[in-house]
Amino acid sequence: MSVRIDSLNNVPEHVERLARWHHSEWGELMAPWSLDDARRELQAHLDGEFPATFVALSDSNELLGSASLIAEDAPELNEYGPWLASVIVQPAWRGRGLGRRLIEAVIERARLCHFEKLYLFTDGSGRLYESLGWEPLERRVLPGAAVAIMVKPRWAVEVG
């Protein structure tokens, strides 16, 4: 089975399911972020080049994962931006390079938008991101968890 990476703009029928995934995964960390908030944010990604969400889809159009390029990811971190955010791959599809492909799609969009840096935060391991050229910047405590903030200061990852 092949997998394609596409812009959510081209497959808006996945907004509702993706909003549920995002809220389930990060709702507690981002409280009081609601399912309606997640839905509204993804709907806003259908309007142009930035913000943007990319999705991984199977041959049968099954949603397998996503990653987003956004202006703000957490109000406590508003001195940074833009952000790689909402990187998620369904458990059965992990370890197959989908996360990397989704991240590369976001990096390519950031390049096209002429951003000089890109940030992310993770409450898990940053090893995947470090392997893709991201550099640790600092650690912070958000209301839901301790997080590592990372930066992609140069476009060092070859896309494609």
PDB file of all heavy atoms in Angstrom, residues 112-129:
ATOM      1  N   LEU A 112       8.645  27.990   1.558  1.00  0.00           N
ATOM      2  CA  LEU A 112       7.871  28.734   0.562  1.00  0.00           C
ATOM      3  C   LEU A 112       7.279  30.016   1.144  1.00  0.00           C
ATOM      4  O   LEU A 112       7.067  30.985   0.419  1.00  0.00           O
ATOM      5  CB  LEU A 112       6.766  27.849  -0.019  1.00  0.00           C
ATOM      6  CG  LEU A 112       7.243  26.671  -0.859  1.00  0.00           C
ATOM      7  CD1 LEU A 112       6.072  25.767  -1.230  1.00  0.00           C
ATOM      8  CD2 LEU A 112       7.985  27.141  -2.101  1.00  0.00           C
ATOM      9  N   CYS A 113       7.018  30.014   2.455  1.00  0.00           N
ATOM     10  CA  CYS A 113       6.501  31.209   3.134  1.00  0.00           C
ATOM     11  C   CYS A 113       7.628  32.142   3.571  1.00  0.00           C
ATOM     12  O   CYS A 113       7.369  33.175   4.198  1.00  0.00           O
ATOM     13  CB  CYS A 113       5.661  30.797   4.348  1.00  0.00           C
ATOM     14  SG  CYS A 113       4.092  30.021   3.925  1.00  0.00           S
ATOM     15  N   HIS A 114       8.878  31.766   3.262  1.00  0.00           N
ATOM     16  CA  HIS A 114      10.062  32.578   3.561  1.00  0.00           C
ATOM     17  C   HIS A 114      10.321  32.760   5.057  1.00  0.00           C
ATOM     18  O   HIS A 114      10.862  33.779   5.475  1.00  0.00           O
ATOM     19  CB  HIS A 114       9.989  33.941   2.861  1.00  0.00           C
ATOM     20  CG  HIS A 114       9.798  33.825   1.387  1.00  0.00           C
ATOM     21  ND1 HIS A 114      10.796  33.397   0.541  1.00  0.00           N
ATOM     22  CD2 HIS A 114       8.695  34.029   0.619  1.00  0.00           C
ATOM     23  CE1 HIS A 114      10.319  33.358  -0.696  1.00  0.00           C
ATOM     24  NE2 HIS A 114       9.059  33.732  -0.678  1.00  0.00           N
ATOM     25  N   PHE A 115       9.944  31.764   5.861  1.00  0.00           N
ATOM     26  CA  PHE A 115      10.286  31.810   7.282  1.00  0.00           C
ATOM     27  C   PHE A 115      11.747  31.431   7.436  1.00  0.00           C
ATOM     28  O   PHE A 115      12.239  30.541   6.757  1.00  0.00           O
ATOM     29  CB  PHE A 115       9.405  30.849   8.089  1.00  0.00           C
ATOM     30  CG  PHE A 115       7.950  31.213   8.067  1.00  0.00           C
ATOM     31  CD1 PHE A 115       6.992  30.263   7.777  1.00  0.00           C
ATOM     32  CD2 PHE A 115       7.532  32.511   8.344  1.00  0.00           C
ATOM     33  CE1 PHE A 115       5.648  30.589   7.757  1.00  0.00           C
ATOM     34  CE2 PHE A 115       6.191  32.847   8.325  1.00  0.00           C
ATOM     35  CZ  PHE A 115       5.249  31.888   8.036  1.00  0.00           C
ATOM     36  N   GLU A 116      12.434  32.103   8.327  1.00  0.00           N
ATOM     37  CA  GLU A 116      13.854  31.845   8.544  1.00  0.00           C
ATOM     38  C   GLU A 116      14.093  30.769   9.588  1.00  0.00           C
ATOM     39  O   GLU A 116      15.139  30.125   9.592  1.00  0.00           O
ATOM     40  CB  GLU A 116      14.564  33.132   8.957  1.00  0.00           C
ATOM     41  CG  GLU A 116      14.575  34.148   7.827  1.00  0.00           C
ATOM     42  CD  GLU A 116      15.289  35.422   8.216  1.00  0.00           C
ATOM     43  OE1 GLU A 116      16.053  35.410   9.201  1.00  0.00           O
ATOM     44  OE2 GLU A 116      15.070  36.425   7.531  1.00  0.00           O
ATOM     45  N   LYS A 117      13.162  30.600  10.514  1.00  0.00           N
ATOM     46  CA  LYS A 117      13.264  29.598  11.570  1.00  0.00           C
ATOM     47  C   LYS A 117      11.914  28.938  11.740  1.00  0.00           C
ATOM     48  O   LYS A 117      10.886  29.500  11.367  1.00  0.00           O
ATOM     49  CB  LYS A 117      13.659  30.235  12.906  1.00  0.00           C
ATOM     50  CG  LYS A 117      15.026  30.850  12.930  1.00  0.00           C
ATOM     51  CD  LYS A 117      15.309  31.436  14.296  1.00  0.00           C
ATOM     52  CE  LYS A 117      16.678  32.082  14.328  1.00  0.00           C
ATOM     53  NZ  LYS A 117      16.963  32.657  15.643  1.00  0.00           N
ATOM     54  N   LEU A 118      11.957  27.777  12.347  1.00  0.00           N
ATOM     55  CA  LEU A 118      10.735  27.046  12.661  1.00  0.00           C
ATOM     56  C   LEU A 118      10.943  26.431  14.037  1.00  0.00           C
ATOM     57  O   LEU A 118      12.041  25.966  14.346  1.00  0.00           O
ATOM     58  CB  LEU A 118      10.515  25.971  11.598  1.00  0.00           C
ATOM     59  CG  LEU A 118       9.183  25.251  11.543  1.00  0.00           C
ATOM     60  CD1 LEU A 118       8.024  26.219  11.383  1.00  0.00           C
ATOM     61  CD2 LEU A 118       9.183  24.244  10.396  1.00  0.00           C
ATOM     62  N   TYR A 119       9.911  26.462  14.863  1.00  0.00           N
ATOM     63  CA  TYR A 119       9.998  25.965  16.230  1.00  0.00           C
ATOM     64  C   TYR A 119       9.033  24.799  16.425  1.00  0.00           C
ATOM     65  O   TYR A 119       8.059  24.648  15.688  1.00  0.00           O
ATOM     66  CB  TYR A 119       9.650  27.078  17.229  1.00  0.00           C
ATOM     67  CG  TYR A 119      10.592  28.238  17.162  1.00  0.00           C
ATOM     68  CD1 TYR A 119      10.385  29.293  16.282  1.00  0.00           C
ATOM     69  CD2 TYR A 119      11.727  28.268  17.977  1.00  0.00           C
ATOM     70  CE1 TYR A 119      11.266  30.357  16.214  1.00  0.00           C
ATOM     71  CE2 TYR A 119      12.613  29.335  17.921  1.00  0.00           C
ATOM     72  CZ  TYR A 119      12.377  30.370  17.040  1.00  0.00           C
ATOM     73  OH  TYR A 119      13.262  31.420  16.970  1.00  0.00           O
ATOM     74  N   LEU A 120       9.297  24.023  17.461  1.00  0.00           N
ATOM     75  CA  LEU A 120       8.375  23.001  17.912  1.00  0.00           C
ATOM     76  C   LEU A 120       8.561  22.827  19.402  1.00  0.00           C
ATOM     77  O   LEU A 120       9.573  23.238  19.958  1.00  0.00           O
ATOM     78  CB  LEU A 120       8.603  21.657  17.194  1.00  0.00           C
ATOM     79  CG  LEU A 120       9.901  20.892  17.455  1.00  0.00           C
ATOM     80  CD1 LEU A 120       9.850  20.058  18.734  1.00  0.00           C
ATOM     81  CD2 LEU A 120      10.192  19.983  16.278  1.00  0.00           C
ATOM     82  N   PHE A 121       7.549  22.257  20.044  1.00  0.00           N
ATOM     83  CA  PHE A 121       7.772  21.782  21.409  1.00  0.00           C
ATOM     84  C   PHE A 121       7.224  20.385  21.510  1.00  0.00           C
ATOM     85  O   PHE A 121       6.291  20.008  20.802  1.00  0.00           O
ATOM     86  CB  PHE A 121       7.214  22.737  22.478  1.00  0.00           C
ATOM     87  CG  PHE A 121       5.723  22.743  22.643  1.00  0.00           C
ATOM     88  CD1 PHE A 121       5.082  21.791  23.429  1.00  0.00           C
ATOM     89  CD2 PHE A 121       4.958  23.738  22.061  1.00  0.00           C
ATOM     90  CE1 PHE A 121       3.713  21.817  23.615  1.00  0.00           C
ATOM     91  CE2 PHE A 121       3.592  23.786  22.237  1.00  0.00           C
ATOM     92  CZ  PHE A 121       2.956  22.818  23.015  1.00  0.00           C
ATOM     93  N   THR A 122       7.863  19.609  22.372  1.00  0.00           N
ATOM     94  CA  THR A 122       7.459  18.219  22.561  1.00  0.00           C
ATOM     95  C   THR A 122       7.537  17.879  24.038  1.00  0.00           C
ATOM     96  O   THR A 122       8.452  18.334  24.731  1.00  0.00           O
ATOM     97  CB  THR A 122       8.327  17.256  21.719  1.00  0.00           C
ATOM     98  OG1 THR A 122       7.905  15.916  21.971  1.00  0.00           O
ATOM     99  CG2 THR A 122       9.804  17.392  22.024  1.00  0.00           C
ATOM    100  N   ASP A 123       6.570  17.113  24.497  1.00  0.00           N
ATOM    101  CA  ASP A 123       6.632  16.635  25.877  1.00  0.00           C
ATOM    102  C   ASP A 123       7.208  15.224  25.919  1.00  0.00           C
ATOM    103  O   ASP A 123       7.308  14.619  26.969  1.00  0.00           O
ATOM    104  CB  ASP A 123       5.255  16.699  26.559  1.00  0.00           C
ATOM    105  CG  ASP A 123       4.204  15.843  25.895  1.00  0.00           C
ATOM    106  OD1 ASP A 123       4.436  15.341  24.784  1.00  0.00           O
ATOM    107  OD2 ASP A 123       3.128  15.678  26.499  1.00  0.00           O
ATOM    108  N   GLY A 124       7.609  14.739  24.754  1.00  0.00           N
ATOM    109  CA  GLY A 124       8.238  13.422  24.667  1.00  0.00           C
ATOM    110  C   GLY A 124       9.692  13.559  24.264  1.00  0.00           C
ATOM    111  O   GLY A 124      10.331  14.579  24.486  1.00  0.00           O
ATOM    112  N   SER A 125      10.164  12.540  23.633  1.00  0.00           N
ATOM    113  CA  SER A 125      11.559  12.514  23.205  1.00  0.00           C
ATOM    114  C   SER A 125      11.750  13.389  21.978  1.00  0.00           C
ATOM    115  O   SER A 125      10.948  13.372  21.054  1.00  0.00           O
ATOM    116  CB  SER A 125      11.963  11.078  22.878  1.00  0.00           C
ATOM    117  OG  SER A 125      13.206  11.061  22.236  1.00  0.00           O
ATOM    118  N   GLY A 126      12.837  14.127  21.970  1.00  0.00           N
ATOM    119  CA  GLY A 126      13.164  14.951  20.816  1.00  0.00           C
ATOM    120  C   GLY A 126      14.090  14.255  19.839  1.00  0.00           C
ATOM    121  O   GLY A 126      14.583  14.889  18.903  1.00  0.00           O
ATOM    122  N   ARG A 127      14.338  12.948  20.024  1.00  0.00           N
ATOM    123  CA  ARG A 127      15.316  12.248  19.180  1.00  0.00           C
ATOM    124  C   ARG A 127      14.966  12.289  17.697  1.00  0.00           C
ATOM    125  O   ARG A 127      15.844  12.500  16.865  1.00  0.00           O
ATOM    126  CB  ARG A 127      15.486  10.799  19.634  1.00  0.00           C
ATOM    127  CG  ARG A 127      16.353  10.697  20.886  1.00  0.00           C
ATOM    128  CD  ARG A 127      16.488   9.282  21.333  1.00  0.00           C
ATOM    129  NE  ARG A 127      15.231   8.956  22.021  1.00  0.00           N
ATOM    130  CZ  ARG A 127      14.758   7.743  22.191  1.00  0.00           C
ATOM    131  NH1 ARG A 127      15.403   6.706  21.746  1.00  0.00           N
ATOM    132  NH2 ARG A 127      13.624   7.539  22.822  1.00  0.00           N
ATOM    133  N   LEU A 128      13.695  12.081  17.354  1.00  0.00           N
ATOM    134  CA  LEU A 128      13.303  12.144  15.940  1.00  0.00           C
ATOM    135  C   LEU A 128      13.657  13.512  15.377  1.00  0.00           C
ATOM    136  O   LEU A 128      14.262  13.618  14.310  1.00  0.00           O
ATOM    137  CB  LEU A 128      11.809  11.885  15.763  1.00  0.00           C
ATOM    138  CG  LEU A 128      11.241  12.226  14.371  1.00  0.00           C
ATOM    139  CD1 LEU A 128      11.821  11.304  13.308  1.00  0.00           C
ATOM    140  CD2 LEU A 128       9.733  12.176  14.370  1.00  0.00           C
ATOM    141  N   TYR A 129      13.315  14.558  16.101  1.00  0.00           N
ATOM    142  CA  TYR A 129      13.554  15.909  15.613  1.00  0.00           C
ATOM    143  C   TYR A 129      15.051  16.210  15.521  1.00  0.00           C
ATOM    144  O   TYR A 129      15.497  16.822  14.557  1.00  0.00           O
ATOM    145  CB  TYR A 129      12.825  16.923  16.493  1.00  0.00           C
ATOM    146  CG  TYR A 129      11.340  16.667  16.531  1.00  0.00           C
ATOM    147  CD1 TYR A 129      10.721  16.170  17.674  1.00  0.00           C
ATOM    148  CD2 TYR A 129      10.556  16.875  15.407  1.00  0.00           C
ATOM    149  CE1 TYR A 129       9.365  15.919  17.696  1.00  0.00           C
ATOM    150  CE2 TYR A 129       9.198  16.617  15.417  1.00  0.00           C
ATOM    151  CZ  TYR A 129       8.601  16.134  16.566  1.00  0.00           C
ATOM    152  OH  TYR A 129       7.275  15.878  16.582  1.00  0.00           O
TER     153      TYR A 129
END
